Amino acid sequence: MIGKIKNFFSRNDNPLVSKNIRFSYADEDVLKDINLVTKKNKIYSIIGKSGSGKSTFLKLIAGVISKKHRGKIRIFGKHRFLNKNSFGFVSQEPGFIPDLSIENNIKISGLNYGISEKKALERAKDLMGQLKLNIDIDRKPMDLSGGQKTRLGIILSILHDPRMIILDEPFVGLDFKNRWLLWRFLENKRKEGKSILLTSHLLTEIQEHADKIIILKDGKVFFKGQLEKLKNKLNMNYIYEVRFSWLAQSKWEKLKNYCNKKNGVDIIEKYEKHCVFSLKSEEVKKKLDKKFKTIGLKDNIINFREPNLDEIFLKT
Amino acid sequence: MLKKKIKFPLRYGRKFYGHLKKDLMLFYNRKKYLYIFLIFPILIAGLFLFLLSPTTASMRVGVCDLDQTPETQDMLTDLDDFDIVLLENENCTENLKNSIMEGKFELGLKIPNGFTENIENLEQASLITYHDNTDIALSRMVSWKMDSSLNPYRRSIIDGLNEELKQRISVARQSIDTAEQLTGGSGPLHEKIIEIDRDLERIEELDTDFIVNPIKTDSRGLHHELSMKYISIAFLYPIITLFLILMLASISIIYDDKTGFITRVKTSTTVLTYIFSKILFFFILSAIVFALFFGIFLLAGASLTFNLMEVVKLIFFVSITNSLIGMLIGNVAENEGIAILMSLFISFPLMLLSGLFFPLQNMPYIVQRVVEVLPLHLQIEATKSVILFNQHLGMTLLYLNVPLLLFTVYFIRRNI
Ligand SMILES: Nc1ncnc2c1ncn2[C@@H]1O[C@H](COP(=O)(O)OP(=O)(O)OP(=O)(O)O)[C@@H](O)[C@H]1O
Ligand SMILES: [Mg+2]
């Protein structure tokens, strides 16, 4: 009891603390039991299959969904309604006022955060420079290209220079160069001491830029941490791609029996004579090669390498 | 620390101002809404002024005169309120009915054979009028108008009759005088003759008006100093505001939802700030409607005295109720089309029950009690008391909005 009270009063400065979050739109629970604490000054990326509830979770944190949920959400130690100026939420839909000019959109968004119109314009100009967005602000937002809209949407949501930036699929519709630019932008923000929480399907880029990965699965946090940890958890330190010259059904059955957790081998994909295995260690590879011989399979190695996030993701 | 204390209200002030500014700019930028909003009250007020002071253009009346006597011609020339067209006697009734249906005449009049003869024999004569009873407003007015137009002619018949009666009685009284002299001034016969003479005298002095209409009703409005023009504004202003604000408020909620602006509101401001700024916005619009209405009615010659503070209170009352109802509609409707339909669905029955078009006193007791608490009715009563009678507006009316406000906040928070 005392501990609880202490906890209550102790200043918890984690950007996000969510405990036992349970939520449903209708009957079925979208989020079943989400427990997630993020640390300051890091880029967190949430991944998960389409429909796994990533957007729902972010909207819940940001207070966009006001339907009742179970569990506790704290942003920098406070209820989100009391701490709106500490985070900026970039939703999947940019949320412009289409009938007003970009300039007025900036001013209104600034006012929403309680910033003066002049200051909002200054901040927007600065951010536009950082995101290399050269547009005429007298135009209407709907005149912009998809990528320009995305970047403007981000700018409008962080005019108040929040400590945490929450982005829902910010890379959709951006070409490679702009994605790279946005990653750089987010990394710079991290350098400035901001905390970032985003969702994306671009696993390769996440692998490269994010500090920590959060995998949502079945309404729960399936995994949180660095990639290495996930590989270990999944027994998946190497990828072994093999093409057989001939693969009869009976031999395939034998091979399938061999591939299990005990032997440290897992089949990720099979397409005709082409198989992709995940292996726990280099040791396992030698054993597997032997097995090929005993079964009587002639192999033609294509690749033996470390897995990428796409492959890891496929396995979850 | 002090700095933070000052900052807090400033920040909230800016948030509020931001919402209001956005709505005002949007309203100005979306010209179609702006024009309709400005033209609608002007149009309705103008139309109403015309309807209340009809022009002197006379109605066209087709006549079948089957009697064709000098008297019937006299009667027709007496009907100078109408534009009389005489039809051929052949198949007259059928032609008359067809012409009315084709819209050539507003009214048909048939004088049957024997009309004059009946009058001369002191028997009741009848006229037949035809009109298109699917034209509700016209048919209500037509019979009454024909009746009242015939009044001078009726009177002239009665006057003629009266004249004739008087002449005959005067002759009779002369004969009685002679008879009285013959009785020698006394005795029962003399008494009887005097009695007859007195009765005849009373008949001679009979009032023509009494014969035409023995009981006359004279109805007097308590506020005879207020003209119809003047009174109608107390009904029209709330009705028009109800229509406009319901539609604009519901549409604006849907617009904010569809464009994702609500998401920005929810992650940066509070729903309460948002709702209050909307109420203020619609207060401004309601005030504009009020000014437009008054401008037009003042130009048309109405003279009004009222307390400005009470008017502000009135506009506040009208706008807060309507904008809250409108926002609730915007919450329930999926798109702008449905929002407008729902606004009509609500405002149309309220308008019919406003007491401007049909008397509520004829309705069942329950309905009357229900009508008394309907928003439009309350608004009309409030407008009447402020601009017609220059009275104070009770604050109880405003309290009625508190539950509505709570309900709206709850709904918007939950649904959007
Ligand atoms: N407004 C809503 N009402 C009802 N169900 C919804 C609503 N929004 C989302 N859902 C459902 O909730 C589940 C999670 O949706 P969500 O948008 O959070 O998924 P996601 O992980 O963001 O998917 P994606 O990667 O495709 O964006 C889905 O099954 C979806 O159908
Ligand atoms: Mg999503």
Side-chain angles (χ1 to χ4, degrees):
Chain A
M1 185 69 198
I2 304 266
K4 258 190 179 171
I5 292 171
K6 254 190 183 166
N7 258 344
F8 185 83
F9 284 108
S10 74
R11 245 176 82 86
N12 187 341
D13 228 15
N14 287 329
L16 172 68
V17 174
S18 55
K19 268 192 193 152
N20 308 111
I21 304 297
R22 195 167 138 195
F23 176 81
S24 65
Y25 286 106
D27 301 328
E28 212 187 322
D29 283 346
V30 176
L31 306 177
K32 294 204 179 95
D33 183 19
I34 302 248
N35 292 290
L36 183 66
V37 177
T38 68
K39 297 267 181 275
K40 270 200 292 190
N41 224 339
K42 294 220 169 353
I43 298 180
Y44 284 84
S45 182
I46 303 180
I47 60 178
K49 296 208 179 76
S50 187
S52 58
K54 302 182 295 292
S55 302
T56 305
F57 181 56
L58 292 193
K59 283 183 194 166
L60 211 55
I61 298 170
V64 176
I65 295 176
S66 25
K67 194 170 176 269
K68 233 179 135 58
H69 64 91
R70 294 273 188 81
K72 185 176 105 174
I73 296 171
R74 290 288 177 273
I75 288 179
F76 293 109
K78 284 191 201 157
H79 192 282
R80 63 197 196 285
F81 288 160
L82 303 175
N83 216 356
K84 281 186 179 166
N85 265 35
S86 69
F87 70 90
F89 176 67
V90 182
S91 97
Q92 229 166 326
E93 309 82 32
F96 303 126
I97 308 160
D99 293 283
L100 298 185
S101 69
I102 293 169
E103 181 180 348
N104 284 328
N105 266 283
I106 292 170
K107 285 180 181 171
I108 297 295
S109 293
L111 286 171
N112 279 351
Y113 289 113
I115 311 171
S116 75
E117 296 174 44
K118 195 171 141 249
K119 199 159 169 216
L121 276 178
E122 274 169 20
R123 285 270 308 155
K125 289 246 165 73
D126 179 28
L127 289 167
M128 279 158 79
Q130 292 177 39
L131 280 170
K132 303 259 186 313
L133 185 61
N134 296 314
I135 50 171
D136 175 7
I137 59 169
D138 291 332
R139 276 162 55 198
K140 299 267 168 75
M142 292 305 146
D143 295 347
L144 300 179
S145 77
Q148 288 172 329
K149 273 184 205 160
T150 308
R151 279 176 283 164
L152 182 62
I154 294 170
I155 292 170
L156 291 188
S157 306
I158 55 173
L159 287 172
H160 57 307
D161 197 19
R163 291 203 279 158
M164 172 161 66
I165 307 175
I166 303 171
L167 308 99
D168 194 3
E169 308 214 1
F171 301 101
V172 170
L174 296 184
D175 62 9
F176 175 76
K177 190 174 151 254
N178 280 314
R179 288 206 301 275
W180 184 82
L181 201 72
L182 184 52
W183 277 118
R184 284 294 305 279
F185 176 78
L186 294 176
E187 281 164 351
N188 282 338
K189 291 288 145 199
R190 176 177 57 186
K191 242 182 245 163
E192 289 171 22
K194 312 290 184 205
S195 310
I196 287 145
L197 179 63
L198 58 86
T199 70
S200 176
H201 288 288
L202 303 166
L203 305 176
T204 329
E205 290 174 24
I206 291 170
Q207 186 174 3
E208 195 178 328
H209 300 278
D211 297 311
K212 297 229 167 137
I213 296 162
I214 296 156
I215 299 182
L216 282 196
K217 195 184 164 195
D218 301 329
K220 289 182 183 162
V221 176
F222 173 79
F223 172 81
K224 187 191 107 176
Q226 275 158 337
L227 195 58
E228 293 308 314
K229 204 172 123 197
L230 180 62
K231 284 181 193 168
N232 274 328
K233 183 172 176 180
L234 295 173
N235 277 336
M236 191 176 179
N237 288 310
Y238 295 98
I239 289 287
Y240 192 23
E241 278 182 76
V242 183
R243 177 174 296 167
F244 300 102
S245 48
W246 183 249
L247 185 61
Q249 189 61 32
S250 59
K251 290 181 177 176
W252 170 241
E253 293 296 335
K254 281 181 190 165
L255 187 57
K256 233 165 67 177
N257 280 337
Y258 179 78
C259 297
N260 56 29
K261 204 165 180 177
K262 200 182 102 217
N263 292 326
V265 185
D266 210 346
I267 299 161
I268 293 187
E269 235 185 317
K270 180 198 174 255
Y271 184 69
E272 291 179 350
K273 290 172 290 184
H274 188 128
C275 296
V276 182
F277 303 93
S278 72
L279 308 182
K280 194 177 178 182
S281 61
E282 283 178 87
E283 200 80 354
V284 171
K285 179 180 174 275
K286 285 174 194 160
K287 283 186 187 163
L288 189 60
D289 284 340
K290 261 185 205 159
K291 189 72 194 170
F292 289 161
K293 275 190 189 136
T294 54
I295 296 176
L297 286 167
K298 289 219 169 112
D299 56 3
N300 177 9
I301 299 165
I302 299 176
N303 220 337
F304 180 69
R305 57 176 166 81
E306 294 199 354
N308 62 29
L309 192 53
D310 285 286
E311 285 154 342
I312 297 171
F313 186 59
L314 263 178
K315 201 175 163 186
T316 60
Chain B
M1 192 62 212
L2 187 69
K3 205 177 167 198
K4 206 160 194 185
K5 266 185 185 159
I6 297 169
K7 257 190 170 168
F8 183 78
L10 178 68
R11 214 166 60 205
Y12 268 82
R14 280 201 187 124
K15 289 178 188 217
F16 187 83
Y17 168 69
H19 293 324
L20 186 62
K21 181 166 178 175
K22 173 216 138 223
D23 276 331
L24 285 170
M25 282 199 295
L26 262 183
F27 192 58
Y28 181 74
N29 278 21
R30 302 211 289 172
K31 294 281 190 256
K32 276 178 197 142
Y33 286 99
L34 180 68
Y35 293 150
I36 289 176
F37 171 80
L38 291 177
I39 291 171
F40 190 59
I42 297 177
L43 183 74
I44 298 295
L47 278 178
F48 227 82
L49 287 174
F50 279 125
L51 295 175
L52 288 179
S53 42
T55 57
T56 46
S58 51
M59 271 204 280
R60 289 158 306 165
V61 179
V63 178
C64 284
D65 185 359
L66 304 181
D67 209 29
Q68 292 199 325
T69 57
E71 281 77 7
T72 61
Q73 273 156 31
D74 275 358
M75 178 179 83
L76 290 177
T77 43
D78 267 3
L79 291 176
D80 43 15
D81 271 2
F82 298 101
D83 187 1
I84 302 277
V85 179
L86 265 174
L87 270 72
E88 296 283 329
N89 264 4
E90 192 93 349
N91 261 339
C92 194
T93 316
E94 281 317 301
N95 288 343
L96 185 61
K97 286 182 187 168
N98 288 335
S99 308
I100 294 173
M101 287 210 269
E102 286 162 18
K104 283 188 197 153
F105 304 120
E106 271 92 28
L107 184 65
L109 179 66
K110 184 162 114 180
I111 307 172
N113 217 332
F115 177 84
T116 316
E117 200 181 313
N118 276 354
I119 291 180
E120 277 170 356
N121 292 341
L122 300 187
E123 290 164 11
Q124 189 178 45
S126 60
L127 287 173
I128 300 165
T129 65
Y130 299 97
H131 62 266
D132 179 1
N133 59 333
T134 60
D135 191 339
I136 291 180
L138 181 73
S139 57
R140 250 203 242 147
M141 170 189 131
V142 145
S143 320
W144 163 80
K145 187 151 187 182
M146 180 50 88
D147 234 33
S148 58
S149 301
L150 276 172
N151 271 345
Y153 184 65
R154 277 204 192 98
R155 178 166 287 263
S156 76
I157 293 174
I158 303 269
D159 283 346
L161 179 70
N162 207 10
E163 206 53 39
E164 174 125 5
L165 212 59
K166 274 183 184 157
Q167 265 173 30
R168 298 222 178 145
I169 287 172
S170 136
V171 173
R173 284 183 73 194
Q174 276 166 22
S175 312
I176 283 187
D177 277 352
T178 328
E180 193 225 336
Q181 278 159 17
L182 287 178
T183 58
S186 62
L189 188 60
H190 175 81
E191 296 292 311
K192 202 76 207 168
I193 285 174
I194 294 283
E195 221 169 273
I196 292 170
D197 186 47
R198 254 191 240 126
D199 282 345
L200 285 175
E201 193 183 337
R202 277 177 62 194
I203 294 173
E204 207 177 13
E205 287 167 356
L206 203 61
D207 181 9
T208 322
D209 285 333
F210 178 79
I211 302 173
V212 178
N213 185 2
I215 299 174
K216 181 184 161 204
T217 52
D218 185 3
S219 65
R220 297 183 185 188
L222 290 180
H223 306 284
H224 49 88
E225 76 285 0
L226 299 172
S227 73
M228 231 358 214
K229 261 182 210 170
Y230 198 21
I231 297 170
S232 62
I233 190 172
F235 288 83
L236 282 181
Y237 171 66
I239 291 177
I240 299 299
T241 323
L242 178 81
F243 263 93
L244 283 174
I245 303 298
L246 244 53
M247 289 189 195
L248 290 175
S250 56
I251 286 175
S252 89
I253 292 282
I254 286 176
Y255 183 89
D256 290 347
D257 189 22
K258 285 261 148 73
T259 57
F261 184 74
I262 288 279
T263 303
R264 290 198 181 278
V265 169
K266 287 191 155 184
T267 54
S268 56
T269 341
T270 62
V271 171
L272 215 55
T273 319
Y274 173 77
I275 291 178
F276 281 144
S277 77
K278 286 262 183 248
I279 291 174
L280 182 61
F281 173 67
F282 289 111
F283 172 79
I284 295 172
L285 294 198
S286 305
I288 294 175
V289 176
F290 192 85
L292 283 174
F293 249 90
F294 264 90
I296 290 166
F297 275 75
L298 286 178
L299 281 180
S303 66
L304 302 163
T305 45
F306 50 72
N307 182 325
L308 193 64
M309 198 52 226
E310 295 301 316
V311 169
V312 170
K313 258 159 74 182
L314 170 72
I315 296 175
F316 187 68
F317 168 60
V318 169
S319 60
I320 193 171
T321 315
N322 293 340
S323 51
L324 286 174
I325 298 174
M327 283 190 250
L328 279 178
I329 295 174
N331 237 294
V332 179
E334 292 87 0
N335 59 45
E336 268 136 332
I338 293 178
I340 291 182
L341 273 181
M342 287 180 74
S343 303
L344 276 177
F345 180 78
I346 291 178
S347 47
F348 209 78
L350 287 181
M351 195 186 78
L352 287 182
L353 293 176
S354 68
L356 175 59
F357 305 102
F358 303 103
L360 302 175
Q361 286 75 0
N362 289 346
M363 291 207 270
Y365 177 81
I366 297 292
V367 182
Q368 287 193 40
R369 293 289 85 78
V370 171
V371 167
E372 271 170 21
V373 295
L374 290 180
L376 185 61
H377 181 81
L378 294 174
Q379 291 171 19
I380 288 173
E381 290 303 312
T383 316
K384 272 164 87 173
S385 72
V386 170
I387 64 175
L388 296 184
F389 309 132
N390 203 3
Q391 286 169 349
H392 280 281
L393 202 58
M395 287 310 276
T396 35
L397 282 177
L398 289 179
Y399 299 149
L400 283 174
N401 286 302
V402 175
L404 196 57
L405 179 70
L406 295 178
F407 197 61
T408 311
V409 173
Y410 171 76
F411 234 69
I412 290 196
R413 286 270 318 270
R414 219 194 64 171
N415 275 20
I416 297 186

